[in-house]
Amino acid sequence: MQFLEFAQICEHLEGISGRLEMIEEVAAVLPRLDDEDLPVFVRFIMGRVFPDWSSKTLGVGPNLLYDAVAYVVGTKRETVREAINATGDAGLAVEHLLAKKEQTSFFIQELDLVEVYREFERMAATGGQRSQREKLRVAQGLFGNARPLEGRYLARLMLEELRIGMGEGNVRDAVAKAFEVDVRLVEHAHQAMNDLGEVAVLARRKPAELSRVTIEPFRPVKMMLAQAGTIAGQLADHGEVAVEYKFDGSRFQFHKVGDVSRIYSRRLEEVTDSLPDIAKHLMAATDHDVILDGEAVAVRDGRPMPFQFVIRRFRRKHGVDSMMEKIELVPRVFDILYLDGEALMDRPLAERRKILEETLGADVAEQFRVTDAAAAEAIYTEALGLGHEGVMVKALDSPYTPGVRGRLWVKVKPGVETLDLAVVGAEWGEGRRAKMFGSFLLAVQDQGRLLPVGKVATGITDEVLAELYTLFKDSVIARSGKEVTLEPEVVFEVGYSEIQTSPNYASGYALRFPRFVRVREDKSVDEVESLDTLAGRYRQQKNGQGSLSD
Ligand code: AMP
């Protein structure tokens, strides 16, 4: 497929708002793609470049994009930046700039979809000191051959935000429709393979194998997630439940085959080199080939330390040894997904737990089976006394469902309710905060789009504001008066007292008394709260079920 055709399809989809119609359109395209184009198309249409399991990243920031476009259209970086600020959309701005240039140039080489992907791979592969220069060269080459419309989507793909509203769910449905296979099989294969691109090829070539696809070592799957809920609610739904401490650390997935082990973060980045102590613990705890799910916890004198200490270690690339002396990380393993060639994700939690205890000689997180509320409340109180965040209450018959934030796992913690939201904009501060951003615009996600739900300015110390400024200053994609639009890359955890309906924000809701809690460095923007969850919380609140531990 020519990249131009891909761009035209994107443009067409951008004009459609109905979910079913979008699925229909994409489903009509998929069967005519060959086996090389198909996986690339499937990822690109979701605004992703590499398979979800892959640790590869393009590493293209707005500045590199400005420079590449400036070079191609023969102007200054500032002019590109201003053009992007004026439209508020990097894609449209690049399109306009290329349109002006097109009138003066005669020769361009047609861009092919797979070729664009290969160029992206080259970008991702460059590392070290010269990497920015090399990435720039590749980007210049791509924009140099791009027609204006292609430029729109090249720019957006490089920033990994396509803005056409084709989320994972829609693409999964389109694959099922295109190749006439059961959507549940597509979902099953997707959970195990963690790449809808490859699943699409399988759905066409060997649909019978979709049900047999299983998790494999060194190909991380998304983590199973939890909803906020209550002990009473879980007991009412399931009778008997498993209660575990909710550790305030960072999630990891540990893969081991023989002597080789790798560790992945919640965002599925490989963090093996940052966490030698976790690997050492787990290598010593079992001789089996395994995939384990757990939380890395920082301890000092036997007591858990706050999350901030853990995340520092996850990000650390240099000086790991000296950091280790200060902060010891220990694994608390609560699940097993694979043992010696056998996938365990479809087995009930109770069975997986038994296998976990038999397989791992140490580091297994405690679990309590409970049938009555008083016993569960006692564990909850004990958890808080021990310095944990609260408890997780899990259904014993639940399979492991990667990436799903369902009610099979419920988190119960005290205090204000919080939401994890994407930061999509900011406003310059006033007075002594004039050289920094003073407030931040937050958004929930809804089928691939980010919809604002309010601003947060409270709860941020001057020191943190300065850090946040450093974090965001290169992510500005548009300015208008005191407000800036930010490339959505960062997730804030924000507390609030109430959710209200509101005509002021595109989500239709607003937060009352929003308060900054922390940057969720372990979460990516596609993991932020959805509009559905927000609406659910709003309804719950209206029904008077606001308290978490009742
Ligand atoms: P949250 O990040 O607030 O959505 O809470 C879910 C997170 O709690 C998981 O992603 C884990 O990182 C963490 N967690 C801590 N202890 C457990 C546990 N026993 N079981 C599952 N997740 C846990």
Side-chain angles (χ1 to χ4, degrees), residues 270-281:
E270 211 204 306
V271 289
T272 317
D273 292 343
S274 310
L275 304 175
D277 36 0
I278 295 286
K280 197 167 149 214
H281 266 270

Side-chain angles (χ1 to χ4, degrees), residues 356-374:
L356 175 63
E357 287 171 7
E358 287 163 3
T359 307
L360 214 59
D363 307 315
V364 178
E366 269 179 282
Q367 189 188 72
F368 310 89
R369 298 239 183 139
V370 172
T371 47
D372 75 288

Side-chain angles (χ1 to χ4, degrees), residues 244-247 251 266 295 334 394 411 520:
E244 296 168 6
Y245 298 136
K246 184 173 190 310
F247 303 103
R251 192 84 172 263
R266 176 182 172 133
E295 189 91 346
F334 45 75
K394 302 180 178 178
K411 53 187 174 188
R520 288 294 308 244

Side-chain angles (χ1 to χ4, degrees), residues 7-302:
Q8 286 160 342
I9 293 168
C10 289
E11 188 186 30
H12 179 65
L13 289 171
E14 239 180 290
I16 302 177
S17 58
R19 190 180 114 79
L20 292 178
E21 203 185 330
M22 289 179 93
I23 293 169
E24 196 88 32
E25 293 286 333
V26 174
V29 176
L30 301 182
R32 57 186 176 81
L33 298 173
D34 65 27
D35 281 359
E36 239 194 328
D37 284 334
L38 182 58
V40 175
F41 180 91
V42 164
R43 287 180 214 125
F44 277 14
I45 205 81
M46 295 187 287
R48 299 187 196 158
V49 173
F50 301 111
D52 285 349
W53 55 262
S54 164
S55 288
K56 278 188 208 163
T57 53
L58 280 181
V60 173
N63 283 335
L64 193 130
L65 187 87
Y66 301 152
D67 286 345
V69 175
Y71 173 84
V72 168
V73 302
T75 182
K76 292 204 214 64
R77 175 201 271 203
E78 265 321 295
T79 314
V80 179
R81 190 203 293 270
E82 276 161 23
I84 291 178
N85 285 349
T87 55
D89 177 338
L92 288 180
V94 171
E95 181 177 7
H96 291 149
L97 288 167
L98 289 178
K100 278 194 216 151
K101 171 223 145 190
E102 202 184 31
Q103 296 155 1
T104 57
S105 63
F106 302 99
F107 178 76
I108 57 169
Q109 206 182 324
E110 294 293 337
L111 286 173
D112 178 82
L113 185 76
V114 171
E115 235 171 65
V116 170
Y117 176 66
R118 296 223 175 93
E119 291 299 289
F120 283 158
E121 276 193 314
R122 270 182 55 201
M123 277 183 162
T126 62
Q129 296 224 312
R130 282 209 218 108
S131 85
Q132 288 303 308
R133 214 182 309 155
E134 181 61 21
K135 283 188 211 293
L136 182 64
R137 260 185 358 101
V138 178
Q140 286 165 346
L142 285 170
F143 285 117
N145 285 317
R147 293 171 199 282
L149 187 66
E150 292 174 300
R152 184 197 303 180
Y153 295 104
L154 266 181
R156 292 194 190 159
L157 272 177
M158 280 186 198
L159 298 171
E160 297 197 61
E161 204 215 342
L162 207 58
R163 298 191 184 196
I164 61 172
M166 269 316 270
E168 221 167 73
N170 287 358
V171 176
R172 177 201 56 208
D173 292 359
V175 169
K177 198 172 169 63
F179 304 116
E180 295 169 354
V181 289
D182 188 333
V183 71
R184 283 168 304 188
L185 293 182
V186 177
E187 180 58 18
H188 168 87
H190 177 211
Q191 289 187 344
M193 292 175 103
N194 206 5
D195 174 23
L196 265 174
E198 270 174 279
V199 170
V201 176
L202 202 61
R204 168 161 62 198
R205 293 279 160 223
K206 300 174 187 156
E209 285 188 16
L210 285 173
S211 64
R212 292 198 286 271
V213 175
T214 58
I215 183 174
E216 277 172 34
F218 308 128
R219 190 183 168 116
V221 292
K222 296 198 180 76
M223 315 257 173
M224 181 164 174
L225 301 168
Q227 270 186 23
T230 64
I231 290 171
Q234 283 297 80
L235 281 170
D237 288 351
H238 305 287
E240 192 183 15
V241 292
V243 180
E244 296 168 6
Y245 298 136
K246 184 173 190 310
F247 303 103
D248 187 14
S250 225
R251 192 84 172 263
F252 70 81
Q253 206 173 90
F254 175 80
H255 292 222
K256 166 184 179 300
V257 174
D259 293 338
V260 183
S261 71
R262 285 191 201 141
I263 308 176
Y264 304 93
S265 72
R266 176 182 172 133
R267 297 169 76 160
L268 308 188
E269 289 154 340
E270 211 204 306
V271 289
T272 317
D273 292 343
S274 310
L275 304 175
D277 36 0
I278 295 286
K280 197 167 149 214
H281 266 270
L282 295 175
M283 290 304 267
T286 186
D287 289 330
H288 293 275
D289 295 347
V290 288
I291 299 178
L292 305 171
D293 183 11
E295 189 91 346
V297 188
V299 286
R300 189 178 280 168
D301 303 330

